[in-house]
Amino acid sequence: MIVVTGATGNIGRPLTQALAKAGEQVTAVSRHAAPMPDGVRHVTADLAEPASLAPALEGAKALFLLLSGDLHAPEARPADLIDLAAASGISRVVLLSSQGVSTRPLGPTRVAMRALEDALRESGLGWAVLRPGGFASNALAWAESVRTQGMVAAPFGDAGVPVIDPADIAEVAAACLLDDRHNGGVYELTGPQVITPRQQAEVIATALGSPVRFHELTRAEAKSMMTRFVPSELADDTLDIISAPNPAELRISPDVERVLGRAPRPFHDWVARNVAAFR
């Protein structure tokens, strides 16, 4: 049995599907009930309350751990989840971390995530760590404004990073959960090219076959929007990166191809699969 947290999200959903397709027994964990692939067990749990995860871990051999936004808050104790996994008999944890752990190690949320990585390394469990950069799926934040106004609103329109398709993260996670060769691996996951928000808007417009204008937000405006969903510290860390990515954050990592034997998917592939969200 493999347990997937965040199972209804942009990574957890394709990961659950990939594991089920591979013939694995899967327990999908999310805060709310949701449709699941045939044969997939669903358990409702809130990772901010680690004890609620215990029923999902019974009889499981591996865990994909994705932290929700509130587990990045200063008072959170995500290492308790590692302890719970070990006490429950889990033998392997694949942790979704962040590229910023290596590229900006002094940011407050990066320090906390590095501490969680270290707790996993010291747990005695098998482990792998995934460190993705920016997600292609962050573009879904623009879906409503594209549908209603034909507009993308974002800060730092001409500062790009090599965004990663969440489906590629899911496939790498599946490989790490299923293949012992990835035990102890730390994988930095990026897309195949640097792309700016303004260029992303152009890709969406091409897919729609209709114009999409770009409106540049101030940093303050962007932070106000982000803090509806994530802690202020995480919003600031993210804005620091996307405003002025450093050379390490602009680097195209070989790790997706190293694990999957193919290049990562470009942004326009993600848009083609998700264009209905923008119509």
Side-chain angles (χ1 to χ4, degrees):
M1 177 74 72
I2 297 177
V3 178
V4 177
T5 62
T8 59
N10 293 314
I11 299 170
R13 187 181 301 110
L15 174 56
T16 297
Q17 293 168 345
L19 293 172
K21 187 176 180 180
E24 294 291 325
Q25 291 183 302
V26 183
T27 293
V29 177
S30 63
R31 286 182 173 178
H32 306 289
M36 293 292 157
D38 290 345
V40 172
R41 172 190 178 217
H42 182 264
V43 173
T44 301
D46 183 346
L47 299 193
E49 301 176 6
S52 70
L53 184 61
L57 299 179
E58 293 177 4
K61 63 181 181 180
L63 168 67
F64 174 70
L65 184 55
L66 183 157
L67 302 185
S68 56
D70 50 5
L71 282 167
H72 292 280
E75 68 277 6
R77 294 174 54 90
D80 290 350
L81 296 165
I82 305 295
D83 295 338
L84 178 64
S88 300
I90 293 288
S91 60
R92 179 180 303 172
V93 174
V94 174
L95 173 66
L96 186 73
S97 182
S98 167
Q99 182 189 52
V101 168
S102 61
T103 63
R104 301 199 183 217
L106 300 182
T109 62
R110 317 304 174 183
V111 169
M113 184 58 82
R114 181 54 185 260
L116 183 59
E117 288 187 11
D118 290 343
L120 179 56
R121 289 184 180 91
E122 296 165 5
S123 67
L125 302 175
W127 59 270
V129 170
L130 311 184
R131 292 177 176 171
F135 290 14
S137 56
N138 290 344
L140 289 171
W142 305 329
E144 182 178 358
S145 65
V146 171
R147 289 194 305 267
T148 60
Q149 304 173 58
M151 179 185 71
V152 161
F156 320 121
D158 299 307
V161 293
V163 296
I164 176 84
D165 190 322
D168 285 342
I169 302 173
E171 288 189 37
V172 172
C176 291
L177 289 162
L178 296 173
D179 192 334
D180 290 342
R181 290 177 299 174
H182 299 298
N183 193 45
V186 178
Y187 297 110
E188 183 174 301
L189 307 179
T190 72
Q193 75 264 332
V194 171
I195 184 168
T196 68
R198 197 182 306 276
Q199 290 168 333
Q200 290 180 46
E202 293 169 358
V203 172
I204 294 168
T206 298
L208 290 171
S210 58
V212 174
R213 62 189 177 91
F214 184 83
H215 170 68
E216 187 151 349
L217 298 174
T218 67
R219 179 179 177 123
E221 289 170 335
K223 181 176 178 179
S224 177
M225 295 172 66
M226 292 175 68
T227 51
R228 300 175 195 170
F229 308 104
V230 300
S232 178
E233 294 84 355
L234 182 56
D236 278 327
D237 275 359
T238 301
L239 289 166
D240 286 346
I241 291 172
I242 64 176
S243 64
N246 63 36
E249 289 153 353
L250 295 172
R251 171 179 173 267
I252 308 302
S253 170
D255 287 353
V256 169
E257 187 161 7
R258 182 178 299 160
V259 175
L260 301 181
R262 62 161 179 81
R265 297 175 175 95
F267 181 72
H268 64 75
D269 275 18
W270 179 87
V271 172
R273 298 198 318 275
N274 293 276
V275 68
F278 300 91
R279 293 195 186 283

